[in-house]
Amino acid sequence: MNRIYNFSAGPGIQPVAVLEEASQAVLEFQGSGMSILELSHRGKHYDPVHAEAQALVLSSLGLSKDEYTIALLGGGASMQFAMLPMNFIRPGDTADYVDAGEWGAKAIAEAARFGSVHLAGSSKATNYDQLPELAPSGKGRYFHLTTNNTIEGTQVFDLPATDGTPLVADASSDIFGVHRDYSKFDLIYAGAQKNAGPAGVTLVVIRKSFLERAHKDLPPMFSYITQCEKQSLYNTPPVFPIYVLGLTLKWIAAQGGVKRVAVHNQAKAQLIYDALDACPSVFSSCVAVKEHRSWMNITFRLATPELEKHFLAEAKAAGMDGLPGHRNVGGFRASIYNAFPIAGCEALAALIRDFSRRNG
Ligand SMILES: *Cc1c(COP(=O)(O)O)cnc(C)c1O
């Protein structure tokens, strides 16, 4: 097997051990005589897979199942942009939102369909090159932020004080990649495909006392209450992605858990940031405030479009893929999720230094 350094922002790189086990299960699942793709979602083979994935999500985040519940849904994080306000706000209600990147802006546009949005902070005027100062309204039904701005390369390390307003996060691109006090959140949602498995499953972790405030008169597929009560088995869940999510969380536990993985992630990111900072005549970080730089998605530019073209070609030749920045932003983005090996970060850092020496 010849694996390249896959810097793709999502779907992102997965642990090889997980891919190997999952590929076996596609052929035959644990002596069942069937593929994981052929198992009933209401059968004795799948039941423990489902229960274990749910339990592992909570334990990996350090949350207790007495206090939190979880839904494993289809539709991506983008569906949660709408499902969240649908469940918690109505015309006349306010929800606070932080506008710190393109994904957050999409969440805001959906919330505005259901109630009024208080912009608790925005860095749009500077093209989201940093995290904004925050000013909660004090009357929000919840306070929404994006923990890691995947496209722009900023990450929230200090959670805001919301003075009792329930804290809600889109953690799609750094869940299980950074250690936080997750009990500060009342609801966390994340598509799995960045740091937690394949595309197709989105996890929603909800504090039970917050769930009680959700609307009850919604179509069942869009109701957090129904989805949680039915253990995400109201309809056929995304069986295979949930299975791989569970494998991925077991892999994280085997690495020493989220805390250990996070230390490793910071060290990986530092290698690349140090190289960028050492080569200012050619390279620059897209993030204006060093403390806001993401450990997951490292965004940078080169001095000229010409140099960018050459750098991309050299990176490709050296076995690095997925480096071009988001199509709306340009430049480069190195996404180095949990499964991304440190050797790949060393290789990119070395190329940055060498390229700068030759072109600076
Ligand atoms: C990738 C991403 C999304 C979109 O996820 P989908 O599963 O494609 O809907 C939303 N928010 C953030 C922060 C992301 O990184």
Side-chain angles (χ1 to χ4, degrees):
M1 189 167 43
N2 181 25
R3 284 176 65 81
I4 57 153
Y5 291 131
N6 179 5
F7 288 94
S8 171
I13 189 166
Q14 311 288 319
V16 174
V18 168
L19 298 176
E20 279 171 346
E21 195 168 344
S23 62
Q24 275 309 310
V26 167
L27 294 173
E28 198 208 355
F29 183 72
Q30 296 180 358
S32 63
M34 289 178 278
S35 162
I36 180 83
L37 305 180
E38 300 168 321
L39 294 180
S40 164
H41 62 293
R42 303 192 195 279
K44 67 174 170 137
H45 295 292
Y46 179 65
D47 281 350
V49 171
H50 195 77
E52 188 177 34
Q54 291 182 317
L56 280 167
V57 169
L58 294 184
S59 63
S60 303
L61 300 176
L63 299 175
S64 102
K65 65 178 182 6
D66 297 333
E67 211 183 332
Y68 285 86
T69 183
I70 173 172
L72 299 173
L73 308 175
S78 300
M79 195 174 92
Q80 295 310 309
F81 294 165
M83 192 164 164
L84 170 73
M86 189 187 289
N87 275 263
F88 290 103
I89 58 174
R90 288 272 153 93
D93 295 336
T94 298
D96 286 17
Y97 274 78
V98 180
D99 177 32
E102 281 193 37
W103 289 120
K106 285 196 164 140
I108 290 167
E110 294 306 311
R113 296 177 195 273
F114 298 93
S116 37
V117 169
H118 168 77
L119 269 196
S122 175
S123 50
K124 190 175 178 169
T126 56
N127 287 321
Y128 302 126
D129 68 346
Q130 57 194 284
L131 299 170
E133 295 285 326
L134 301 182
S137 70
K139 57 178 186 185
R141 293 289 165 121
Y142 58 83
F143 184 106
H144 178 283
L145 57 80
T146 313
T147 54
N148 183 71
N149 294 292
T150 325
I151 295 173
E152 296 80 7
T154 59
Q155 189 170 10
V156 175
F157 298 103
D158 298 318
L159 297 178
T162 57
D163 295 330
T165 303
L167 186 60
V168 169
D170 173 2
S172 291
S173 53
D174 71 0
I175 194 160
F176 310 122
V178 59
H179 180 65
R180 296 191 169 94
D181 180 358
Y182 284 95
S183 72
K184 293 232 164 90
F185 295 99
D186 294 88
L187 188 151
I188 307 160
Y189 63 89
Q193 71 270 23
K194 313 288 168 55
N195 229 355
V201 62
T202 301
L203 47 104
V204 187
V205 174
I206 314 177
R207 194 192 300 278
K208 288 178 180 172
S209 58
F210 184 54
L211 181 62
E212 282 171 14
R213 301 189 202 172
H215 300 310
K216 296 186 176 65
D217 55 346
L218 296 172
M221 283 299 291
F222 300 100
S223 162
Y224 286 134
I225 290 178
T226 303
Q227 292 286 6
C228 290
E229 271 176 359
K230 300 283 180 192
Q231 304 279 335
S232 311
L233 289 164
Y234 176 82
N235 74 328
T236 317
V239 167
F240 184 68
I242 290 172
Y243 167 67
V244 183
L245 167 67
L247 291 183
T248 306
L249 293 175
K250 278 189 255 185
W251 177 82
I252 289 172
Q255 310 302 302
V258 171
K259 217 169 178 169
R260 280 290 299 280
V261 166
V263 170
H264 192 57
N265 285 340
Q266 184 179 17
K268 279 158 47 184
Q270 201 59 49
L271 283 172
I272 299 171
Y273 284 124
D274 283 349
L276 293 172
D277 289 343
C279 306
S281 62
V282 177
F283 291 89
S284 57
S285 161
C286 298
V287 178
V289 181
K290 271 192 184 174
E291 293 71 31
H292 299 173
R293 289 171 166 183
S294 169
W295 303 350
M296 297 276 107
N297 310 96
I298 297 170
T299 52
F300 59 95
R301 293 183 182 288
L302 277 72
T304 66
E306 205 55 37
L307 285 171
E308 294 201 333
K309 222 174 78 193
H310 292 310
F311 182 74
L312 182 62
E314 289 195 22
K316 266 221 156 87
M320 302 181 199
D321 199 30
L323 277 171
H326 188 275
R327 60 189 183 280
N328 295 351
V329 176
F332 290 87
R333 170 174 51 172
S335 299
I336 49 171
Y337 299 121
N338 287 349
F340 193 90
I342 194 161
C345 299
E346 287 163 352
L348 178 59
L351 180 64
I352 288 169
R353 290 176 194 271
D354 182 51
F355 188 89
S356 173
R357 217 170 288 128
R358 285 181 281 112
N359 295 279

